[in-house]
Each structure stands twice: as C-alpha cells, then as structure tokens.
C-alpha cells in the first residue's frame, strides 16, 4: 500500500506553497469542485499537465466568492496566467433539477454541502480575478464554458444567452479536453510570445473586435439575429455540431454587437501516446488531505473505476459528449490501463472489485473507421444513427482482450462495467464474420462476468418517431437484447437485472407516446426507476429543438412539451403502476381517445 505526504498534491494554500520552497507561482487554477487529484477531475488534470511542463502550479478549490475575496488574494498573482475551471458539471445542472428547483446537495463538494460555488462560476470567478488583477490573463476551461462558447439557450433563465466570453472577461477559452491547447499555450508563452498575440491555437476561442471572415471561415448568424429569429439559431446549430465532429474543421465566427467570438477548430483526436501521457501523470488518485474525514460523493463513485477511452460516436440528440470530446475515439494503451488498475489495487479501501472499466460508452474502445479517408470527409455527428456506418470497424476483440488481462491480475477479484453499453453495436450484423463473432463473445462475457447485479442500458424511449428525434435505435433492439440477457442469465444460473433508462418530454414526444411507452414496458414486466424528464443543456440538438421549435437539419417543426403541466403529464406515465397516478392517467387517456391503452395498462390479470 502506497503512502503519500502533503507535497504529493499540488499546493492549495500559501503555507503549502512555501513548504515547497517556492517564492512565486506560474499558474493558479480556481476550481468550482473540491480538489481530488484524479484523472476524472479536470482541474487536477490540467494542474498535472502544467506541472509536467515544469511549471509551479497551485489549485484553489471552491473559493469563497462573497465578502472580501480573500481566497482569490491569498496566493497573489501568477507569473503566466490564472486558470478557471468551473467544475466537472455545468453549474446550473449541478444546482437545479429539471423542474428548476434548487438542489439540496452537491456531489462534488465534501459531505455534499450545497452553496459552495455560485451559479456560472465561469463568469463569477473571472470577474473577481479581473477586478483584483486586471493585467493578469485568465484562461477559462471546463464543460460549462466549453458548451457555452457560442450563442446558446439557457433553460434556467429561459433565454438565449451570448457566447460566455461576452459575459466572462476571460482572455482565452479552451473548449473540449484541454491538455493539448494548454500545453501549446504554455510552450509559446515560455518562448517569449505575449499572451494577447496568441490567437491561433486549435480548440480555443477568444473575443475580439469586428473582423472580416477568411475564405474558409464559417460566419454564423449574429447573436442579435438569433434573438430575433429562432430559425437562424437552429441553422447555426447545424454548423456548430458538424464542426465539432469533423477531423478537419473550419474556424467559426459569430458577431455579438460590435465584437466577434472566434472559435478555432479542434485538435485532431489524441493519439494513444498523448492520452497515455495524460493518464500516466503522477496523480495520487485521492482527495486532498484537507478533506480528511469528509466524503466527496463524486469521488466515491469513480475511485475504483478506470476510464479507458474518450469520445463517443453515438451522437445522441440530448447528449453533450460529442460537443465536448468529439465523436472520434481516443483509446488508451492496454499497458497504461493496467498501470492504473494496479494503482487502484494499492488504495487502502480496495477490496478486489473494479466498479467500471468504461468510457462515455462502455463498448467503443479502439473503434474507428476502416478507411481514414472516408472519416476525413465525413461531417455526420453520429456513426451509428440512423444506421451503423459501413466504414465503422466495430471490433469488440480488443475490449475482450483488455477485460481478460485485467481479470488475470491477482489483486482483482472482479471487474464490472458500470458505463452504459451500446447494445446496437452488439446486435448489428456486420459484413465481416470476425466482427460478428467478437460481438457475440463480448456480449456473453459482459453478461456472465462483468455485471454487478444490474446492467445499465439506455433505450430512452419505445416509439420510433421519438427515437428518430433522439438519434437512438429501434426499441425492437432493446427487446432483442433483453431476450439475450435473460438467456445468458439462465445458462449461467444468474439472477441479474437489466436496468433501462428512459426520458420523458424529449422534443418530438407526446402524451400518447408516453402512454405507449408505459404499455410496452409493462408488457416486459418493468417497473421503471431510472427515468428523467428531459433537461435542455447548452449545445445539444435536443435543446435547439426545444428552444427553436425546429429540427436544425431538416428545419421541420418539432412539438415539445414546454410547460410544467405538459411535462408532468408525460412523466406520470413512468409510474402507471402507482395507485396515486391511476386516476389522472385514466383521465388523460380518455381525453386522448386512447381507451385501448387504458385497458392494457389497468386490466386485471
């Protein structure tokens, strides 16, 4: 078992800085989350990346933004810049429910304590830093800023907001996974370039005066035009999503008043060596000692899990992953993954069980295009919707090999898969028989050996039209997968559960669709528990449909439940089996003229 001393974490206080013998800092990062020195927490990753560049770095977690700003003053000004990382979640999703009620806890704070970060820390922290240190550059990163880099709909304020750099006085925004842009920025600063002259680093955005677009730039409709015309906002989104998912993207410009937001194209996907280098940095994998005796729930969830790849080519309409990480898969080497597994086995509370060997989608490890030239020309946001691309090499063999290598480690009793599994990749009939064979073998191995009692999958709905809007496969595939799941369980003498996730009130979904969902899931003997009301989050296809009423690709009108009453009317169908919902559901079905569905839901067996 490895033991650590305080200096093994990046410093968080003046006393910790002085203990290292440092008389200055190069970069100070302000984070909306507690400081957990783990590759799942963005501030820790960027801190370690900067440290690997030879810089002196400190992290100030969850600074008090009220009162005298002492947390923002305590370390003084850094030599190069301040970093702002608002947290691993968008602050508004962290703070509010889908019904806009204030949450009573925060999973990224010790002992779930609420109120430890403001709404929009990207804006609040940066304004404080600029007030205190107007000449010191501020670099803004994290998912909140990443997804708000251009005009976006804010569900909690129910209005269209400009790109976040209009409200946050940061000098540079890094979107997506930040290791490569932050490294390039530091190297150029160290070579003598001035901060404000650096404007061409990929995967960054900045605010400038009015500029004329270059020949291959994409000039979006301005913020003001989008405020006046929702159709223009819908048209903008198609460009934004496509450029987020291209290998060779174009620069995007959007005017807001007299200024212009410039979004440089993203870097290509990280190579295996690059992603290994990030995960192999000297993380303690533990919360900072200042939290001793306290529980950080977000850390507890992932402390015995391993992220094996980044990116997701599912392109689900309601998901932000491709907007932040892109659709191309960046996979770690088996050696790097095994190193991290061995590090987990040395943790004091490890009992032999890995909670997850996964990623944004559990079974996309090492998957990529067969012909890279086809991928280089492609701008589709999904490789599997509406159909699985023939150029996709969806080989599950490398993942099977990885699972078996991990399970051979003597310290590992069992490795579970906690990430969501794409069963459409498992059930698809591929032209190459080895892919079919690997998919069958993987499916059996997964169900028989890697389910910790419950396997999570996400059909999301049952009705074809809703699923089409979601970019999800037919529910018939879920039914097929359930039969397979049940068969493997019987063969191995197991009693495991399949846990499906469903969403109500998604754009394109009606009350009648929810009634059909209730009947179909009843017939499969499900009493649903993993359900949620659709929550519009910035920079997703579904949010654009919700706000504008148009599908950005077809420009067709799309119905969406928007009022609280409409949303509750849909949500209640998840709970048809609860006596308190029966009367109002029966009344709703009578209003819809669907007595046939009422009979199916409430008939006595």
């Amino acid at each position: 078992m490895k033991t650590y001393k305080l200096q093994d974490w990046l410093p968080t206080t003046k006393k910790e800085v002085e203990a290292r013998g440092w008389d200055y800092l190069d970069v100070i990062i302000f984070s909306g989350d507690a400081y957990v020195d783990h590759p799942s927490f963005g501030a820790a990753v960027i801190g370690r990346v900067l440290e690997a560049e030879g810089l002196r770095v400190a992290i100030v977690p969850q600074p008090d933004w009220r009162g005298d700003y002492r947390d923002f003053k305590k370390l003084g000004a850094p030599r190069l810049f301040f970093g702002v990382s608002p947290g691993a979640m968008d602050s508004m999703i962290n703070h509010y429910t889908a019904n806009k009620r204030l949450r009573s806890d925060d999973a990224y704070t010790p002992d779930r304590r609420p109120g430890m970060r403001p709404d929009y820390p990207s804006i609040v922290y940066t304004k404080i830093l600029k007030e205190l240190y107007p000449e010191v550059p501020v670099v803004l990163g994290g998912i909140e800023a990443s997804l708000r880099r251009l005009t976006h709909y804010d569900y909690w304020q129910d209005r269209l907001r400009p790109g976040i750099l209009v409200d946050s006085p940061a000098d540079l925004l890094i979107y997506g996974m930040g290791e490569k842009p932050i490294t390039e920025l530091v190297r150029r600063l160290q070579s003598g370039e001035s901060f404000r002259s650096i404007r061409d680093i990929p995967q960054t955005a900045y605010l400038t005066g009015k500029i004329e677009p270059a020949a291959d730039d994409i000039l979006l409709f301005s913020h003001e035009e989008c405020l006046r015309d929702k159709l223009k906002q819908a048209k903008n989104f198609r460009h934004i999503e496509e450029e987020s998912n291209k290998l060779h993207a174009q620069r995007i410009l959007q005017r807001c008043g007299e200024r212009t937001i410039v979004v440089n194209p993203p870097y290509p996907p990280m190579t295996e060596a690059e992603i290994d280098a990030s995960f192999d940095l000297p993380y303690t994998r533990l919360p900072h000692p200042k939290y001793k005796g306290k529980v950080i729930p977000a850390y507890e969830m992932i402390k015995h899990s391993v992220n094996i790849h980044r990116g997701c080519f599912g392109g689900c309409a309601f998901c932000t992953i491709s907007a932040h990480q892109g659709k191309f898969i960046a996979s770690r080497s088996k050696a790097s993954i095994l190193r991290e597994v061995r590090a987990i086995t040395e943790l004091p509370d490890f009992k032999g069980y890995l909670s997850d060997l996964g990623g944004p989608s559990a079974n996309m490890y090492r998957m990529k295009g067969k012909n890279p030239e086809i991928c280089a020309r492609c701008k589709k946001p999904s490789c599997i919707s509406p159909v699985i691309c023939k150029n996709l090499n969806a080989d599950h063999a490398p993942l099977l090999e990885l699972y078996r290598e991990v399970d051979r480690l003597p310290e590992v009793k069992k490795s579970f898969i906690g990430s969501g599994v794409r069963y459409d990749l498992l059930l698809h009939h591929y032209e190459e028989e080895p892919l079919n064979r690997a998919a069958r073998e993987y499916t059996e191995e997964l169900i028989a050996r890697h389910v910790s009692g419950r396997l999570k999958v996400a059909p999301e709905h049952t009705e074809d039209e809703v699923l089409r809007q979601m970019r999800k496969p037919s529910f018939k595939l879920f039914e097929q997968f359930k039969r397979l799941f049940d068969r493997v369980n019987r063969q191995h003498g197991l009693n495991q559960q399949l846990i499906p996730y469903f969403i109500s009130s998604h754009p394109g979904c009606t009350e009648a669709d929810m009634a059909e969902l209730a009947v179909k899931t009843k017939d499969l003997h499900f009493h649903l528990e993993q359900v949620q009301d659709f929550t519009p989050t910035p920079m997703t296809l579904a949010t654009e449909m919700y706000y504008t009423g148009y599908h950005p690709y077809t420009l067709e009108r799309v119905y969406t439940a928007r009022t609280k009453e409409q949303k509750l009317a849909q949500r209640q169908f998840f709970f048809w089996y609860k006596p308190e919902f029966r009367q109002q559901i029966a009344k709703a079905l009578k209003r819809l003229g669907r007595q046939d569905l009422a009979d199916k839901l409430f008939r006595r067996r």
Side-chain angles (χ1 to χ4, degrees):
M1 187 185 301
K2 191 168 182 179
T3 57
Y4 292 98
K5 54 186 183 296
L6 184 59
Q7 281 87 348
D8 290 320
W9 282 263
L10 297 173
T12 65
T13 64
K14 190 166 186 180
K15 189 175 178 181
E16 290 171 37
V17 171
E18 290 170 347
R20 291 186 171 219
W22 293 353
D23 55 359
Y24 70 90
L25 288 162
D26 294 302
V27 178
I28 303 170
I29 299 171
F30 288 85
S31 171
D33 292 337
Y35 173 29
V36 180
D37 190 39
H38 187 284
S40 292
F41 292 76
V45 174
I46 297 304
R48 290 296 187 186
V49 167
L50 294 170
E51 179 188 52
E53 290 295 307
L55 300 187
R56 298 179 176 187
V57 187
I59 292 179
V60 181
Q62 300 189 311
D64 187 350
W65 70 98
R66 295 157 291 207
D68 61 4
Y69 302 156
R70 68 182 62 184
D71 286 343
F72 291 88
K73 298 174 185 174
K74 66 183 181 183
L75 297 180
R79 183 175 67 90
L80 295 179
F81 57 82
F82 288 112
V84 170
S85 172
M89 289 177 69
D90 185 279
S91 65
M92 304 307 281
I93 298 170
N94 182 282
H95 285 171
Y96 301 95
T97 68
N99 288 326
K100 302 184 183 181
R101 287 199 299 267
L102 190 65
R103 297 186 193 273
S104 59
D105 62 0
D106 182 342
Y108 290 86
T109 298
D111 292 340
R112 296 183 177 272
R113 185 178 171 188
M116 293 297 287
R117 82 185 83 210
D119 289 354
Y120 311 108
S122 301
I123 298 170
V124 175
Y125 291 174
T126 310
K127 282 184 173 177
I128 292 169
L129 290 168
K130 281 298 185 183
E131 180 184 328
L132 296 174
Y133 308 99
E135 297 306 312
V136 180
V138 176
V139 179
L140 179 59
I143 198 158
E144 178 173 270
S146 184
L147 301 181
R148 295 169 180 268
R149 57 190 184 258
L150 292 156
T151 293
H152 58 279
Y153 172 69
D154 188 290
Y155 170 68
W156 299 271
Q157 294 189 346
D158 192 24
R159 70 182 179 96
L160 210 58
R161 291 185 63 134
I164 200 163
L165 287 173
V166 172
D167 294 315
S168 164
D171 299 274
L172 193 71
L173 183 156
I174 290 176
Y175 66 91
M177 309 306 279
E179 295 102 323
K180 291 179 77 170
I182 200 78
T183 301
E184 176 67 10
L185 174 64
V186 164
R187 289 176 181 172
R188 288 172 63 172
L189 290 173
Q190 296 281 64
S191 72
E193 290 187 55
S194 72
F195 192 100
R196 286 168 183 82
S197 69
I198 301 173
R199 287 289 181 260
D200 58 345
I201 295 177
Q203 223 164 293
T204 63
Y206 60 93
L207 190 63
T208 187
K210 272 198 172 179
I211 60 171
E212 286 304 310
D216 56 352
D217 287 345
I218 293 174
L219 179 62
L220 300 178
F221 291 109
S222 71
H223 177 67
E224 290 76 16
E225 288 176 293
C226 293
L227 286 173
R228 291 192 295 268
D229 185 348
K230 290 182 176 181
L231 186 59
K232 288 181 176 175
Q233 172 66 13
K235 288 178 177 179
N236 273 0
F237 178 78
R238 178 171 182 172
H239 289 300
I240 295 167
E241 185 178 50
E242 287 179 344
E243 297 310 307
S244 297
N245 288 289
K246 280 165 63 174
L247 271 178
H248 306 294
Q250 293 162 261
R251 192 172 73 156
I252 294 176
L253 276 58
Q254 186 182 34
R255 290 179 180 141
C256 184
E258 295 300 308
R259 296 182 290 178
T260 305
I261 295 174
V262 180
V263 179
N264 291 321
Y267 273 100
M270 293 177 87
T271 64
E272 182 184 277
E274 287 169 338
I275 195 168
D276 280 359
S278 179
F279 278 90
D280 290 348
L281 292 167
Y283 305 98
T284 63
R285 299 187 59 85
L286 296 166
H288 189 277
K290 69 165 68 183
Y291 307 121
K292 187 175 181 181
K294 296 179 179 177
V295 174
I296 301 171
Y299 167 70
E300 295 297 320
M301 277 186 64
I302 55 85
K303 64 181 177 179
H304 296 153
S305 70
V306 180
N307 188 351
I308 62 176
H309 75 265
R310 290 179 182 168
C312 178
F313 50 72
C316 298
F318 47 83
C319 182
T320 61
I321 291 170
S322 72
H324 191 66
Q325 296 189 9
K327 72 178 181 183
F328 294 99
I329 305 300
S331 297
R332 297 170 64 186
S333 70
K334 188 166 56 175
S336 174
I337 294 166
L338 290 171
R339 278 194 292 273
E340 186 172 0
V341 171
R342 290 190 185 98
I344 292 173
T345 66
E346 294 180 7
L347 293 174
D349 59 350
F350 182 70
K351 301 290 191 291
Y353 299 96
L354 289 172
S355 59
D356 191 19
L357 280 171
S361 288
N363 56 321
M364 291 185 181
Y365 180 70
R366 291 210 177 285
M367 293 185 183
K368 59 183 179 180
K370 299 168 192 171
N371 182 346
E373 292 180 7
I374 293 174
C375 293
R377 297 194 300 270
C378 178
K379 59 182 181 180
K380 285 182 62 180
S382 174
C383 304
I384 53 179
S385 178
V387 294
I388 293 179
C389 178
K390 289 186 176 181
N391 190 47
L392 178 65
N393 179 12
D395 188 2
H396 285 80
L399 196 49
L400 262 174
E401 183 186 336
L402 175 66
Y403 289 178
R404 289 166 181 167
E405 285 271 345
V406 169
D407 288 350
R408 276 196 283 270
L409 294 174
E411 303 87 353
V412 175
K413 296 176 184 175
K414 203 96 171 171
S415 60
F416 299 118
I417 308 307
S419 305
V421 174
R422 289 299 303 229
Y423 52 79
D424 44 348
L425 287 173
L426 299 176
L427 300 175
H428 182 70
H429 182 74
Y430 300 97
E431 292 178 353
E432 304 93 333
E433 186 51 35
L435 298 190
N436 295 318
R437 190 164 55 248
R440 287 193 300 270
E441 198 176 339
Y442 174 86
T443 305
E444 178 129 4
E445 171 99 6
L446 170 74
I447 298 169
R449 294 182 179 83
H450 298 281
V451 176
S452 119
R454 296 151 67 93
L455 179 65
K456 294 183 237 174
V457 293
E460 307 295 8
H461 215 282
T462 61
E463 301 311 288
D464 286 342
E465 178 53 29
V466 183
L467 290 166
R468 185 175 72 85
Q469 302 288 11
M470 290 179 162
R471 292 186 183 144
K472 294 290 285 187
S474 167
F475 190 66
K476 290 184 176 65
L477 282 180
F478 171 77
E479 294 173 319
Q480 184 183 339
F481 184 73
K482 184 180 185 303
R483 289 193 294 271
L484 182 55
F485 182 84
D486 292 342
R487 176 179 63 76
V488 174
N489 270 279
R490 284 193 304 272
Q491 287 175 345
H492 290 266
L494 299 169
N495 184 28
Q496 300 176 143
Q497 285 181 290
L498 192 61
I499 306 297
Y501 282 62
F502 290 95
I503 296 176
S504 59
S505 301
H506 189 278
C509 181
T510 65
E511 276 185 80
D513 291 322
M514 290 303 298
E516 295 278 7
L517 181 152
V519 168
K520 288 176 182 174
T521 54
K522 179 193 175 186
D523 289 345
L524 291 171
H525 310 293
F526 282 114
H527 280 191
L528 302 180
E529 51 182 84
Q530 296 293 342
V531 298
Q532 63 178 4
D533 190 35
F534 169 66
T535 304
T537 54
M539 218 168 170
T540 68
L541 174 66
T543 296
E544 298 304 321
M545 290 191 280
Y546 175 91
Y547 169 70
T548 67
Y550 297 100
H551 192 294
Y553 286 78
T554 65
L555 303 184
E556 295 170 351
R557 287 278 191 179
V558 180
Y559 167 77
T560 306
R562 288 187 58 90
T563 68
K564 185 179 179 180
E565 293 71 27
Q566 289 170 337
K567 286 171 168 285
L568 291 174
Q570 291 203 19
R571 184 178 171 81
Q572 68 182 352
F573 283 99
F574 286 139
F575 309 110
W576 61 268
Y577 54 87
K578 294 187 176 183
E580 62 265 33
F581 288 102
R582 179 167 181 158
Q583 187 175 353
Q584 59 204 55
I585 287 176
K587 193 182 292 185
L589 290 173
K590 185 176 181 181
R591 171 172 51 80
L592 293 169
R594 297 303 305 269
Q595 186 60 39
D596 59 318
L597 296 179
D599 292 342
K600 289 176 182 176
L601 275 181
F602 302 123
R603 66 174 179 260
R604 293 186 178 178
R605 292 186 176 274

